Amino acid sequence: MSRASLKMIQRKVQRQALPQVTHFNFPESSLSDWTAQHVSNFSSKQLSDRVRYRSKRMILDIIGVGLIGSTTSFSKRIQHFAETTDRISDKEPALIWGTSNKRTRPGMAAFINGSNCHSMDFDDTWHPATHPSSPILPALFALADFLPEQYKPSLEDILVAFNCGVQIQGVLLRCSLQSNNIPNRLHPPAIVGVMGSAAASANLLGLEPKKCLHALSIAASFAGAPMANAGTLAKPLHAGKSARCGLEAAFLADQGIEGNERILDMESGFGAFFTDYDPSTFFQELQTSENLILHHQDIAIKSYPCHLGMHWAIEASLHVRKQIVDLYGKMDASFVKSIEIFAPKSKYINRPIPSCEHDARHSFQFTANSALIDGKVSPETFVFGNIEKERKDLFTLLQKTTIVHRDDNKPCFDTMYVEVTVTLQNGEKFSARCVEPNGHWRKPLTDESLKKKFLTNSRLLPEHQQTKIIKLVSKMSSCDSSDGLLELLRTNI
């Protein structure tokens, strides 16, 4: 870390103490310049009460999701990778969440923790579609761990930088109408996620606008990942890569590495990731608003550890199951003649008989029928080796299931629906439709449900640590150092 950056942190703290104007100034032509200034000047004054409330919920949720992700076999593999290619010891600066005190260098910590946050597809989802938290918070926590003691950020500093990163993702997604739909070519956390991570990291470092611009430009060179890797062990790496590369882009910019200063305005710049990229659409949308995007567009916090689209299918199936159980006293696979799932068309989430847990997390058929036969969907739902041998009833239902696409059902998390129709051997039909599952931005989890999810996901920690985390995150106060929260993510304190 350069002395310039440390001085910038001091200047940033002084700047945030001054009154701030919350409205946006829109340049005539350059989204790049506006974004860089926005990142550099972003402060607590721009956080409405609603934004604070929503973003603190996001932070609590992603901490819990990252902690349960740290217990997976996937996490053990990438930690072994880090031991082979990097350094892990209790002497390194940045904590690997959910370990006794394993630490590594900040980039690798961001990569591991970010990957863990997406390892079960349990992290939040926004509209337009992306997972906003998993590329950002791991980068900020790794950076906070890395900074010298006298420059440790407060939890409010973390909250501000986190919201800066979320805002930049929203800005960029709104430059493309294509991004409104469930993606089919590129995975958004690997595109806008790395830009959000770079923006958040640059803000926490207190970089001047020009360096913020170059951090974003460098991050764009690290962006991109194909949707073909959805349903594989490679997909969680997209979030980890974005967390790491965004953080390192900010470090590189601070060291004087420069990129194209028009990166966000060019078809061959960030426009390369969207065929209909148009920065002017963003300005048109936000000129009438003085609030951040998160103030207007809430987040989806997931109830089930799988692709968000599956939540519609799960809840429709649970309603069908209740109808059958209410009538017959139980649900038995032998009752069923056929199952139709009316869902939007999307190749990567139409998986008739999944071969592994990550495949299953992206399968309408698997998740709908698991809910139908088991009456629930939990992390244990996705633990299997061979479906045919280990879960015979589920395998029977999968063979009887058909996906049906209707023209009115578009692949968009804001407008889609899923309907499940089960026909029994005796000819009776039972149907249910879900238009917005529990946890959707129009049907948010209650605070109590979110707390319950966190406590379940963080159960590797002692109860007193869980309670302290909840308390600290509920405040994200300028009076609390980030150190106090980060230490609580260890398992042996």
Side-chain angles (χ1 to χ4, degrees), residues 16-260:
Q16 288 184 352
L18 299 174
Q20 295 282 322
V21 178
T22 59
H23 68 267
F24 301 113
N25 294 313
F26 297 90
E28 292 184 4
S29 60
S30 176
L31 178 61
S32 302
D33 284 341
W34 178 89
T35 304
Q37 293 171 26
H38 189 56
V39 169
S40 183
N41 296 326
F42 196 93
S43 78
S44 62
K45 300 295 184 181
Q46 289 164 252
L47 307 184
S48 67
D49 289 344
R50 181 187 295 177
V51 166
R52 286 178 178 272
Y53 170 72
R54 288 176 172 175
S55 55
K56 285 188 284 190
R57 281 165 53 93
M58 293 166 70
I59 289 171
L60 182 65
D61 181 59
I62 201 64
I63 290 173
V65 168
L67 286 169
I68 193 173
S70 74
T71 68
T72 62
S73 60
F74 166 82
S75 181
K76 302 302 182 287
R77 294 180 192 184
I78 58 173
Q79 288 182 48
H80 181 68
F81 159 76
E83 289 171 344
T84 303
T85 62
D86 209 291
R87 289 201 300 262
I88 291 183
S89 76
D90 58 3
K91 302 296 190 294
E92 295 298 320
L95 178 70
I96 300 172
W97 307 356
T99 65
S100 58
N101 195 27
K102 286 185 178 180
R103 295 178 177 271
T104 186
R105 287 180 278 197
M108 182 59 78
F111 174 71
I112 293 172
N113 295 325
S115 297
N116 286 344
C117 286
H118 194 47
S119 63
M120 299 172 69
D121 222 316
F122 216 175
D123 47 336
D124 55 26
T125 302
W126 212 13
H127 175 72
T130 194
H131 303 287
S133 297
S134 50
I136 300 177
L137 196 68
L140 292 176
F141 278 8
L143 177 54
D145 264 339
F146 174 71
L147 289 172
E149 190 62 37
Q150 64 269 36
Y151 298 111
K152 290 294 184 187
S154 71
L155 288 183
E156 185 177 58
D157 293 331
I158 297 287
L159 183 69
V160 169
F162 178 83
N163 275 287
C164 179
V166 171
Q167 173 74 357
I168 294 311
Q169 292 181 78
V171 166
L172 295 175
L173 285 168
R174 278 157 177 74
C175 292
S176 165
L177 293 176
Q178 176 189 359
S179 67
N180 286 324
N181 295 329
I182 297 174
N184 57 19
R185 291 181 61 251
L186 297 171
H187 193 208
I191 305 171
V192 297
V194 69
M195 307 298 283
S197 172
S201 300
N203 177 268
L204 193 61
L205 284 170
L207 299 187
E208 62 186 356
K210 185 68 74 175
K211 287 188 175 182
C212 289
L213 174 56
H214 290 301
L216 293 167
S217 188
I218 294 165
S221 287
F222 296 143
M227 284 307 308
N229 274 330
T232 73
L233 286 168
K235 183 172 180 265
L237 303 178
H238 298 174
K241 181 197 77 163
S242 289
R244 176 177 190 162
C245 291
L247 172 59
E248 292 181 343
F251 282 155
L252 288 166
D254 186 44
Q255 294 300 318
I257 304 299
E258 298 181 347
N260 192 305

